[in-house]
Amino acid sequence: MVNVLTELKYLFKRFVLIANVLPGLLGFIMAARYYNRSFEDIWVDFILFLVGSAVLVAGALTLNNWLEADVDKLMERTKQRPSVTGSISLRAILILGISLSLVGQLLLLLINMEVAIFGFIGWYTYVVVYTVWTKRRVTWNTHVGSLSGAVTPMMGWAVIGSVFHPIPLTLFAIMFLWQMPHTYAIAIRKYEDYARSGLKMLPVVRGYQVTIRRTVVYMALLLIIPLFLTGFSNLFYILISLLNLGWLAIGIAGFKAHSIKKWANHLFASSLIYLLVVYLLYIVFLP
């Protein structure tokens, strides 16, 4: 049993799974508070969303393992995956990935069509557009991967209300822009792995200086997003602006960093703190 759980942990990329499901749950919580919905009235939809989104993401990640088995064996950070070790056959991984994806999509469809559509958009862009079409060919594959992650808070919000609202739309924009520096930091930290694998990550193809410039641009764009929100208190705008400026300063520090790897470590750690604080600010100051 322990061995099975260990294999599934590698197959589902445990922390990636959590990182994709959690923003959706926070989007759900925000919508429930914003629309004054009692948990007693929406607990069934909550369970369907929690299980459905987790299963759908697990399906997408499993299919990613199957599709990238050849390059995963070249990288230190992925060589323990069952698709590489052979502890689970590639055929079984493919069947599991398809099954989980279908079950997850069905559970989301039981909530409403909007949730299911955004769930499918996230799944399709990650599995097909990102993994199959772009990751091995172009450096802007990161943008596609960011799109799939950015829809998660919109999925959670869509359980309660329409996503055509400034709160979920700005969360989508923040998630999309945030993932670029976050992913670039990972690519720098794992430069040797990506260089061996042949995947078209920006630091490997274009170098560190181009990556730092792009990082700063996306971080600077985050300063604009709060301007599209209305109804929040002045303190919210002050705090999120200070947060954005502080994170931007970390990005700019990369231009004069003595060790790019060390800077990338700081950028990666700060990106996690940044996103957590953003969601806390949204929840605490929700109109």
Side-chain angles (χ1 to χ4, degrees):
M1 184 63 178
V2 175
N3 287 337
V4 173
L5 292 176
T6 300
E7 297 300 334
L8 291 178
K9 178 185 74 174
Y10 288 122
L11 194 63
F12 297 159
K13 307 178 188 180
R14 177 181 51 177
F15 293 114
V16 179
L17 176 65
I18 294 171
N20 277 273
V21 173
L22 186 57
L25 292 179
L26 294 174
F28 175 91
I29 292 169
M30 286 184 212
R33 285 190 57 197
Y34 184 83
Y35 291 108
N36 252 339
R37 298 293 301 275
S38 167
F39 186 74
E40 293 179 358
D41 298 329
I42 56 176
W43 71 269
V44 174
D45 285 342
F46 174 78
I47 297 298
L48 285 172
F49 178 71
L50 175 61
V51 177
S53 60
V55 171
L56 183 64
V57 172
L61 294 172
T62 300
L63 290 172
N64 175 268
N65 275 260
W66 180 75
L67 289 163
E68 294 192 337
D70 58 331
V71 295
D72 281 347
K73 66 183 179 182
L74 302 175
M75 298 192 287
E76 288 294 321
R77 71 185 186 90
T78 57
K79 66 181 183 180
Q80 291 179 303
R81 291 177 181 172
S83 52
V84 176
T85 63
S87 56
I88 302 177
S89 72
L90 287 177
R91 177 182 171 82
I93 291 173
L94 175 61
I95 293 172
L96 180 61
I98 293 173
S99 301
L100 289 172
S101 298
L102 291 174
V103 171
Q105 193 67 62
L106 177 61
L107 291 174
L108 295 182
L109 188 59
L110 291 175
I111 301 172
N112 63 55
M113 183 61 72
E114 194 171 15
V115 177
I117 288 173
F118 282 106
F120 178 76
I121 290 173
W123 180 93
Y124 185 80
T125 52
Y126 181 76
V127 175
V128 180
V129 186
Y130 174 65
T131 304
V132 177
W133 292 348
T134 64
K135 198 171 182 181
R136 301 176 190 236
R137 295 181 175 88
V138 290
T139 58
W140 49 267
N141 68 77
T142 310
H143 297 75
V144 178
S146 295
L147 177 63
S148 65
V151 300
T152 52
M154 299 176 76
M155 288 170 58
W157 186 279
V159 176
I160 308 295
S162 173
V163 298
F164 295 101
H165 185 284
I167 293 176
L169 289 176
T170 53
L171 282 172
F172 168 83
I174 289 172
M175 286 288 293
F176 177 81
L177 293 172
W178 168 83
Q179 284 178 96
M180 306 306 292
H182 176 77
T183 306
Y184 290 156
I186 295 173
I188 292 173
R189 295 169 74 220
K190 304 298 181 182
Y191 180 95
E192 290 77 13
D193 269 356
Y194 284 116
R196 279 195 302 271
S197 70
L199 297 176
K200 302 299 183 182
M201 303 306 290
L202 187 65
V204 177
V205 177
R206 300 291 302 276
Y208 289 147
Q209 288 304 308
V210 171
T211 305
I212 295 170
R213 286 200 297 270
R214 299 271 183 91
T215 294
V216 170
V217 168
Y218 291 117
M219 295 169 92
L221 288 173
L222 284 165
L223 290 165
I224 304 171
I225 304 304
L227 301 178
F228 294 94
L229 285 169
T230 58
F232 284 78
S233 68
N234 290 334
L235 182 58
F236 168 83
Y237 296 107
I238 291 171
L239 291 175
I240 200 166
S241 295
L242 290 173
L243 177 67
N244 283 328
L245 288 170
W247 200 38
L248 177 59
I250 293 174
I252 293 173
F255 288 116
K256 295 192 175 181
H258 296 296
S259 169
I260 296 298
K261 291 288 183 72
K262 186 175 181 180
W263 169 78
N265 287 333
H266 291 159
L267 179 64
F268 176 78
S270 65
S271 71
L272 300 177
I273 297 170
Y274 171 87
L275 193 63
L276 175 61
V277 175
V278 165
Y279 274 97
L280 287 175
L281 289 175
Y282 265 75
I283 291 172
V284 170
F285 293 97
L286 196 69

